[in-house]
């Protein structure tokens, strides 16, 4: 279950090599814990205030070459939050890991065992569909399940991850005779939003949260930014102006102009904000070919590199596409045969606006009718704040000893990295914290994939942070080719530090890099139309 370039991606737990060794007798987890209740006896109800839970099936699943023997549990939290929980029968050591969902969710992705022991069996793992049944993959879900059902909306907006956490812990208590000793949450995209939402609204649920490429600016992201991506590249007849065939030449031109700015010609931009590439330099001087842009195409590229604005120039979202992300635009911004002939951004935006972005019964917009104005931005706010995870008050999570590990790919085509950088600087005031860390991954697309680095998973570092107090300063990112062969490893240092080549050995070996301070002062706060949203609390479930 590796990440892919769509909102449904949730970073799989193929963990980077670190010095962390989660032996079965750490101070936090102790020795292996055996069940005290038969797996079959879990089929029953669990009376939890505000989260009445029903286990509909439970059965022991034999060990395989990759997974331990476990008790597989399926059930739902009323009214309709389905979940799957896997309880190791022989290797559990007291850790619970809950996965976030992606896109509009609508399905239960079978939760993978975390690779911290052979077969990863020291964790009990769970996942949920966020309270509704949608199409698969979730990125093509039409959203109509939320058109008239406020309960389904509530579950997806803010309730499901919390009540599944409560349900899973009650079942763990029944099965093993004790609640989990440490609880973790991991997710990317909407799963990253859920991670931040849990830290903000339910600070007692998890000890450690791994939030990748968080969609925490949900209302502006879905209603405004994805609409912007769709509209910018649409001609009057609805056809794309910029085509996928032009992206390789565009990306090559960006690298030719900016690759050496970080001191190393390695095919990636370590901080693409330093790149000042002008797409007009690629305008065709003769007949149009795949290696040049028409004036209209160059104008589209320039708009994609910029945030959406209203007529007065007010930013309606805190960022745009960054140089170096161009190859990932195929499928997300530009429809391709591989994506069924539609662009993910248009599909998400149109369905959000039609079914999910406004109060039930209120007039709704579509991608083609949405107006880029402050008035229309504000019309999205009443519902948007229910989804948003933008609060800067994580004091309760911090006081409990919670650890928050944020990460984002610099080449993310779906969620501009500028939003995460803006949120992190507002949260930490630009100073390193002993409870919150951010890692920015060069060349990584949305949740996974990329040109040089394709995988990033900091779960081991998060566990070591929670259980040993080892604050993460670096996480190793990995690049693989289409055959799965490792082609590059590179350290990613806690932001704002950057990786600098030490001058010896292969540039594809993480061992040959050291941390360095930022080349210029960090100024990541963005002034935009949504600044009031950081102070608007969303609803919480009991």
């Amino acid at each position: 279950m590796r990440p892919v370039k769509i909102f449904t991606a949730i970073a799989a737990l193929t963990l980077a090599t670190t010095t962390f060794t989660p032996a079965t007798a750490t101070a936090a987890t102790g020795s292996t814990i055996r069940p005290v209740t038969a797996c079959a006896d879990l089929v029953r109800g669990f009376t939890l205030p505000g989260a009445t839970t029903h286990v509909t099936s439970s059965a022991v699943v034999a060990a395989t070459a990759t997974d331990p023997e476990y008790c597989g549990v399926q059930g739902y939290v009323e009214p309709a939050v389905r979940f799957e929980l896997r309880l190791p029968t022989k290797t559990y050591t007291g850790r619970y890991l809950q996965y976030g969902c992606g896109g509009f969710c609508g399905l239960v992705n079978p939760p993978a065992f975390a690779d911290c022991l052979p077969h990863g069996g020291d964790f009990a793992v769970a996942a949920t569909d966020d309270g509704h049944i949608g199409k698969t993959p979730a990125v093509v879900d039409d959203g109509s399940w939320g058109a008239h059902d406020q309960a389904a909306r509530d579950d997806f907006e803010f309730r499901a991850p919390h009540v599944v956490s409560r349900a899973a812990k009650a079942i763990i208590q029944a099965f093993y005779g004790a609640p989990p000793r440490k609880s973790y949450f991991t997710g990317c995209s909407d799963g990253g939003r859920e991670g931040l939402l849990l830290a903000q609204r339910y600070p007692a649920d998890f000890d450690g949260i791994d939030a990748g490429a968080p969609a925490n600016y949900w209302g502006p992201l879905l209603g405004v930014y994805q609409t912007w991506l769709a509209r910018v590249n649409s001609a009057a007849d609805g056809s794309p102006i910029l085509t996928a065939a032009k992206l390789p030449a565009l990306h090559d031109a960006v690298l030719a102009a900016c690759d050496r700015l970080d001191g190393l010609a390695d095919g990636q931009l370590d901080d693409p904000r330093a790149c000042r590439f002008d797409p007009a330099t690629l305008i065709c001087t003769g007949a149009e070919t795949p290696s040049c842009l028409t004036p209209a195409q160059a104008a589209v590229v320039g708009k994609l590199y910029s945030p959406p604005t209203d007529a007065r120039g007010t930013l309606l979202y805190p960022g745009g596409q960054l140089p170096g992300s161009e190859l990932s635009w195929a499928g997300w911004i530009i429809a391709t045969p591989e994506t069924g002939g539609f662009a993910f951004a248009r599909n998400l935006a149109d369905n959000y606006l039609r079914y999910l972005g406004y109060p039930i019964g209120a007039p709704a917009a579509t991608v083609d009718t949405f107006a880029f104005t402050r008035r229309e931005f504000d019309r999205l706010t009443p519902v948007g704040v229910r989804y948003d995870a933008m609060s800067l008050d994580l004091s309760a999570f911090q006081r409990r000893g919670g650890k928050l590990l944020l990460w984002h790919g610099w080449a993310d085509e779906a969620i501009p990295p500028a939003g995460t950088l803006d949120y992190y600087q507002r949260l930490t005031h630009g100073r390193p914290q002993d409870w919150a860390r951010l890692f920015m991954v060069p060349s990584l697309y949305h949740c996974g994939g990329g040109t040089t680095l394709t995988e990033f998973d900091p779960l081991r570092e998060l566990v070591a942070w929670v259980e040993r107090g080892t604050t993460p300063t670096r996480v190793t990112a990995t690049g693989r080719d289409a055959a799965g062969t490792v082609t590059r490893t590179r350290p990613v240092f806690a932001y704002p530090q950057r990786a600098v080549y030490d001058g010896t050995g292969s540039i594809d070996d993480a061992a040959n890099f050291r941390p360095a301070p930022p080349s210029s002062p960090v100024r990541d706060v963005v002034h935009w139309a949504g600044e009031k949203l950081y102070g608007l609390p969303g609803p919480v479930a009991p």
Side-chain angles (χ1 to χ4, degrees):
M1 189 178 65
R2 286 309 313 163
V4 291
K5 295 196 309 173
I6 56 176
F7 257 35
T8 51
I10 300 175
L13 296 174
T14 302
L15 302 178
T17 301
T18 72
T19 57
F20 173 56
T21 304
T24 57
T26 66
T29 59
S31 59
T32 301
I33 300 170
R34 297 301 179 116
V36 298
T37 300
C39 180
D41 291 341
L42 295 176
V43 179
R44 60 185 179 87
F46 291 80
T47 302
L48 304 172
T52 300
T53 300
H54 304 270
V55 173
T56 55
S57 68
S58 59
V60 174
V61 178
T64 67
T66 57
D67 291 335
E69 179 184 281
Y70 66 91
C71 172
V73 177
Q74 295 186 343
Y76 68 96
V77 181
E78 293 183 1
V81 182
R82 296 185 303 156
F83 65 87
E84 180 177 347
L85 173 63
R86 297 182 174 184
L87 305 168
T89 59
K90 300 176 180 177
T91 54
Y92 174 71
T93 58
R95 296 186 180 111
Y96 169 60
L97 174 67
Q98 185 171 314
Y99 286 86
C101 212
F104 294 150
C105 203
L107 73 162
V108 180
N109 285 299
F113 285 103
D115 187 17
C116 281
L117 284 177
H119 309 314
D122 55 332
F123 284 87
V125 294
T128 175
D129 68 354
D130 277 356
H132 62 274
I133 298 174
K135 295 180 179 179
T136 56
V139 76
V140 300
D141 185 356
D142 64 9
S144 59
W145 50 267
H148 306 291
D149 188 342
Q150 187 59 54
R153 284 191 177 196
D154 289 349
D155 286 337
F156 180 51
E157 289 165 351
F158 63 89
R159 180 175 178 265
H162 167 62
V163 296
V164 166
S165 168
R166 294 182 60 204
K169 291 172 185 176
I171 297 168
I172 288 171
Q173 169 91 45
F175 189 59
Y176 296 113
R181 293 169 174 167
K182 295 295 179 182
S183 296
Y184 299 91
F185 185 91
T186 183
C188 188
S189 194
D190 178 51
R193 175 191 74 91
E194 292 172 347
L196 281 174
L197 185 145
L198 288 160
Q200 295 163 12
R201 303 192 203 177
Y202 309 105
D205 281 4
F206 292 94
D207 301 292
I209 292 174
D210 159 21
N216 58 317
Y217 297 63
W218 186 266
L221 175 69
L222 271 291
V224 181
Y225 185 68
Q226 302 303 321
T227 300
W228 170 257
L229 294 180
R231 289 265 289 276
V232 159
N233 195 40
S234 293
D237 63 359
S239 63
I241 299 169
L242 179 68
T243 62
K246 299 298 183 80
L247 299 181
L250 174 61
H251 182 69
D252 288 346
V254 169
L255 289 183
C258 300
D259 189 9
R260 291 182 179 274
L261 292 178
D262 53 27
L264 198 62
D266 56 357
Q268 67 185 43
L269 307 183
D270 285 3
D271 187 341
R273 296 173 299 181
C275 182
R276 297 292 183 264
F277 174 74
D278 183 358
T281 60
L282 274 186
I283 290 178
C284 305
T285 57
E288 182 184 358
T289 70
S291 62
C292 66
L293 302 175
T294 67
Q297 290 171 339
V300 166
V301 174
K303 291 178 180 177
L304 291 175
Y305 287 148
S306 303
T309 65
D310 67 8
R312 297 181 177 182
T314 301
L315 299 187
L316 300 179
Y317 194 78
Q321 299 291 306
L322 287 176
S325 66
E326 297 79 17
L327 294 179
S328 66
W329 299 355
W332 195 271
I333 302 172
I334 303 170
T336 66
E338 292 77 14
T339 59
F342 65 87
F344 292 140
R346 172 172 281 273
N347 187 77
L348 283 166
D350 205 49
N351 283 292
Y352 182 73
L353 293 172
R354 287 178 184 273
Y355 303 119
L356 301 170
Y358 300 95
I360 291 174
T366 69
V367 163
D368 296 316
T369 64
F370 184 84
F372 292 98
T373 64
R374 280 297 298 265
R375 178 180 180 277
E376 200 62 22
F377 180 96
D378 291 340
R379 274 224 308 139
L380 289 169
T381 297
V383 173
V385 295
R386 299 169 66 83
Y387 296 93
D388 293 345
M390 296 172 58
S391 172
L392 299 173
D393 183 6
L394 274 67
S395 56
F397 181 72
Q398 181 185 0
R399 284 195 302 270
R400 289 190 66 257
K403 308 300 182 187
L404 174 64
L405 198 157
L406 290 159
W407 58 274
H408 209 129
W410 276 118
D412 192 323
E413 73 283 11
I415 302 179
T420 298
L421 291 162
D422 169 83
Y423 178 79
Y424 183 71
Q425 179 149 10
R426 291 176 187 269
L427 179 69
T428 64
H429 306 290
R431 297 186 295 272
Q433 304 293 318
D434 61 3
W435 63 275
R437 283 287 189 274
L438 170 64
F439 294 83
M440 300 297 299
V441 189
S443 84
L444 192 75
Y445 295 164
H446 185 57
C447 296
T451 52
T452 57
L453 297 172
T454 59
E455 300 173 7
F456 187 80
D457 194 327
L459 182 61
R460 289 195 183 198
E461 287 77 9
L462 179 63
V463 171
W465 195 8
V466 168
E467 298 179 11
R468 296 185 174 184
T470 306
T471 303
T473 58
R474 61 177 281 167
V475 180
T476 300
T478 301
R480 296 182 190 270
D481 61 19
T485 302
V486 174
T487 55
R488 172 172 291 179
T489 59
R490 183 68 62 87
V492 180
F493 295 102
Y495 186 82
Q497 287 194 317
R498 55 197 178 94
V500 175
Y501 181 52
D502 67 10
T504 60
S506 171
I507 64 170
D508 295 323
D509 187 343
N512 300 324
F513 288 79
R514 58 177 175 81
S519 54
S520 59
V522 173
R523 296 187 179 93
D524 293 328
V525 169
V526 179
H527 298 293
W528 65 295
E531 289 188 85
K532 67 180 181 181
L533 302 178
Y534 301 103
L536 296 181
V540 296

